[in-house]
């Protein structure tokens, strides 16, 4: 067994979570396509149900392929444990519901992923749970929104499509001062760019559907527990049974035991397997995604048809400094937004693209474009779209890992046709 902890990230992403000795020497985990696992004795099954062994029982609870991925992802984020689930939304639902009761509140950024926004506003709203949404970079507003009913602070590391970058060190200091954990969605940055637990976050969530799997071939989500938050300091007496059972992994135990397995948000092992394969190239892909995105942003900035470009990699972006501090000068992510004259011009531009795919996803190897105002957000009220910065002139581009010159050539010929 190699000493994983001493490896650099680019090596760790390949070697963490590997146990070829358990896989007959295979370098990828077998896809354990079995709904249930047989036990040698009645005593063994009883011990497993009591949590005294880590053996597998039933696929909705755990699966050996998924566990290999969980170990890899926990190692990459410097967390103590992880649970892999069927989608990013499953991870967000379980991560939040584990802490929420009717009447509770939480504080979150206002530039949320679309389904996260709907979950917080509409679904949680049905259970008398109130999200207090604030500008995610406004730390004074974040602190002012905390009260006795607050159960956690929730932020996205890079907002989409606002591309705002909250200061996670400051946010975690505020949360901790009030005895609250900080939960963050790290999907857009990936652990290659940002490891929020190192910056003070307590829980990290990913949609693994995006950069982690990287090929648009699997859905998944993960909740990673930093294992450092002290649940016994006052606000969380209801966490005591989980602390008694699992100590530093109390929160993850609650996510898994009380929510994940009862909601049935299980991921099929094929998705864990595909994500394991994808992760082998995460570092290389992120490097190329980000180098390409910077080139595309610079190209778009000088095109007369483009009215504005929103990317934290541009020195003029308000998030540029925080991104440099927080992402260790590695880059600024692979997603950008830009403006054209109006919706009609956006449609003409998209319809002229030849190589770039037009679809609702991001973080794929392939470059992807979408007009969010008329697609994902088409049925949102106008004031909500405005609050989320979803304007009719906005194009969102997830820059792929093709040759930058080909991405730019496709954008260029599509823009040429708008004249
Ligand atoms: C896609 C996405 C999600 C939801 O993930 P799914 O796997 O589609 O459920 C959550 N957060 C962010 C930032 C995302 O981009």
């Amino acid at each position: 067994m190699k000493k994983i902890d001493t490896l650099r990230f680019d090596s760790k992403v390949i070697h963490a979570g590997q146990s070829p000795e358990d896989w007959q020497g295979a370098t990828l985990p077998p896809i354990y396509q079995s709904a249930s696992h047989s036990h040698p004795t009645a005593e063994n099954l009883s011990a497993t149900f009591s949590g005294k062994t880590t053996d597998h029982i039933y696929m909705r609870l755990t699966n050996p392929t998924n566990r290999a991925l969980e170990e890899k992802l926990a190692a990459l984020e410097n967390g103590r444990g992880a649970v892999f689930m069927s989608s990013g939304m499953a991870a967000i639902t379980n991560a939040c519901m584990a802490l929420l009761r009717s009447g509770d509140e939480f504080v979150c950024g206002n530039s949320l992923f679309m389904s996260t926004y709907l979950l917080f506003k509409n679904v949680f709203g049905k259970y008398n749970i109130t999200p207090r949404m604030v500008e995610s970079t406004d730390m004074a507003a974040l602190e002012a929104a905390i009260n006795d009913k607050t159960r956690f602070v929730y932020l996205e590391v890079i907002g989409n499509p606002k591309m705002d970058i909250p200061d996670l060190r400051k946010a975690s200091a505020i949360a901790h001062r009030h005895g609250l954990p900080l939960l963050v969605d790290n999907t857009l940055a990936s652990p290659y760019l940002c490891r929020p637990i190192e910056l003070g976050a307590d829980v990290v969530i990913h949609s693994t559907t995006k950069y982690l799997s990287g090929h648009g071939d699997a859905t998944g989500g993960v909740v990673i527990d930093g294992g450092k938050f002290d649940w016994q300091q006052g606000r969380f007496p209801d966490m005591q049974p989980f602390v008694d059972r699992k100590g530093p992994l109390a929160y993850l135990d609650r996510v898994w035991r009380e929510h994940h397995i009862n909601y049935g948000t299980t991921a099929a092992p094929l998705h864990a397997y595909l994500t394991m394969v994808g992760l082998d190239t995460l570092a290389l892909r992120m490097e190329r995604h980000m180098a390409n995105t910077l080139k595309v942003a610079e190209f778009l900035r000088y095109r007369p048809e483009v009215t504005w470009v929103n990317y934290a990699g541009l020195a003029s972006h308000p998030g540029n400094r925080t991104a440099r501090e927080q992402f260790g000068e590695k880059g600024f992510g692979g997603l950008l937004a830009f403006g054209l004259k109006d919706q009609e011009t956006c449609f003409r531009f998209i319809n002229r693209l030849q190589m770039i795919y037009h679809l609702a996803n991001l973080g794929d190897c392939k470059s992807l474009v979408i007009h969010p105002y008329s697609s994902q957000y088409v049925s949102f009220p106008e004031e909500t779209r405005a609050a989320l910065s979803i304007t009719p002139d906005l194009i969102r581009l997830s820059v792929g890992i093709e040759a930058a010159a080909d991405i730019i050539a496709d954008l260029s010929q599509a823009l040429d046709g708008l004249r």
Side-chain angles (χ1 to χ4, degrees):
M1 207 38 188
K2 291 180 210 72
K3 278 225 167 13
I4 300 299
D5 290 347
T6 63
L7 296 178
R8 288 162 185 80
F9 183 88
D10 297 22
S11 316
K12 204 170 163 182
V13 72
I14 293 170
H15 292 288
Q18 293 288 115
S19 19
E21 61 282 7
D22 300 332
W23 307 337
Q24 309 210 29
T27 58
L28 281 160
I31 299 165
Y32 284 92
Q33 191 63 35
S34 182
S36 202
H37 293 254
S38 113
H39 285 253
T41 61
E43 288 80 1
N44 183 266
L45 186 57
S46 173
T48 304
F49 266 106
S50 321
K52 292 183 190 121
T53 88
T54 56
D55 293 348
H56 300 280
I57 297 174
Y58 184 65
M59 201 196 284
R60 176 158 49 73
L61 280 52
T62 62
N63 173 279
T65 316
N66 294 12
R67 185 170 291 166
L69 175 63
E70 289 164 351
E71 282 171 14
K72 193 190 266 292
L73 293 174
L76 295 184
E77 287 283 8
N78 290 321
R80 267 186 101 120
V83 179
F84 181 58
M85 301 168 190
S86 54
S87 70
M89 286 320 300
I92 294 166
T93 304
N94 287 316
C96 295
M97 285 308 263
L99 294 175
L100 292 169
R101 304 150 309 177
S102 177
D104 282 341
E105 295 187 4
F106 61 97
V107 178
C108 61
N110 64 2
S111 76
L112 294 166
F113 175 71
M114 179 200 57
S115 287
T116 306
Y117 179 88
L118 293 175
L119 175 76
F120 287 2
K121 274 274 194 207
N122 300 351
V123 185
F124 289 177
K126 285 200 324 188
Y127 304 102
N128 189 28
I129 293 164
T130 309
R132 298 260 170 228
M133 295 190 180
V134 299
E135 198 71 38
S136 69
T137 52
D138 185 344
M139 292 298 132
L142 188 143
E143 182 153 31
I146 295 173
N147 62 36
D148 288 348
K149 293 180 179 167
T150 312
R151 295 280 282 184
F152 57 84
V153 174
Y154 183 101
L155 291 169
E156 294 188 4
V157 175
I158 303 177
N160 162 17
K162 252 167 111 177
M163 311 292 153
D164 44 344
I165 318 250
D167 187 323
L168 297 181
R169 282 193 192 88
K170 286 188 184 149
S172 71
I174 293 169
H176 293 164
R177 187 153 67 233
H178 293 274
L180 298 168
L182 173 65
L183 279 56
V184 302
D185 180 338
N186 195 26
T187 301
L188 260 55
S190 92
Y192 176 81
L193 194 55
C194 183
R195 289 174 296 281
I197 290 168
E198 292 174 2
L199 303 172
D202 301 289
V203 174
V204 175
I205 300 159
H206 282 280
S207 164
T208 63
T209 315
K210 315 291 171 54
Y211 292 104
L212 300 188
S213 76
H215 297 75
D217 57 356
T219 60
V222 67
V223 179
I224 300 160
D225 188 348
K228 289 187 205 143
F229 189 78
D230 177 7
W231 297 102
Q232 293 173 292
Q233 57 186 309
R235 283 198 189 236
F236 298 95
D238 54 311
M239 284 295 285
Q240 195 55 45
F242 300 92
V243 173
D244 293 343
R245 188 193 287 272
K246 285 286 176 180
L249 282 176
Y251 168 76
L252 196 69
D253 187 53
R254 189 167 200 177
V255 166
W256 178 79
R257 181 181 306 280
E258 193 175 73
H259 295 272
H260 171 61
I261 67 177
N262 295 324
Y263 286 161
T265 39
T266 309
L270 173 64
H271 294 253
Y273 171 86
L274 290 168
T275 307
M276 289 283 276
V277 178
L279 278 168
D280 277 345
T281 57
L282 177 71
L284 267 180
R285 285 187 285 107
M286 289 309 292
E287 228 173 83
R288 176 67 85 89
H289 276 299
M290 298 198 287
N292 280 358
T293 312
L294 209 48
K295 287 178 193 161
V296 168
E298 286 295 344
F299 160 78
L300 290 171
R301 218 149 68 94
Y302 294 107
R303 286 295 302 219
E305 304 86 350
V306 175
T307 49
W308 51 267
V309 180
N310 190 358
Y311 183 54
L314 298 174
S316 55
H317 191 279
N320 185 265
R321 232 189 67 202
T322 311
R324 284 182 190 281
E325 285 165 13
Q326 197 147 280
F327 304 158
E329 301 283 344
K330 270 187 159 177
F332 306 91
L335 197 72
L336 61 75
F338 62 95
L340 296 175
K341 186 161 160 265
D342 50 22
Q343 171 161 328
E344 189 256 315
T345 313
C346 291
F347 276 33
R348 280 202 291 138
F349 168 76
I350 287 173
N351 293 342
R352 285 185 55 83
L353 289 168
Q354 291 169 359
M355 181 187 80
I356 298 172
Y357 278 82
H358 174 221
L359 53 77
N361 195 8
L362 60 90
D364 194 305
C365 289
K366 302 170 180 79
S367 291
L368 316 171
V369 76
I370 197 159
H371 181 252
Y373 185 88
S374 66
S375 56
Q376 296 126 312
Y377 296 87
V378 70
S379 48
F380 277 55
E382 190 53 40
E383 65 271 20
T384 310
R385 289 196 284 201
L388 293 169
S389 305
I390 308 294
T391 50
D393 64 339
L394 182 154
I395 296 269
R396 195 190 74 186
L397 181 61
S398 172
V399 179
I401 62 171
E402 303 96 335
D406 289 324
I407 301 169
I408 289 172
D410 197 19
L411 295 169
S412 183
Q413 65 78 23
L415 291 169
D416 286 344
L418 301 180
R419 297 213 185 110

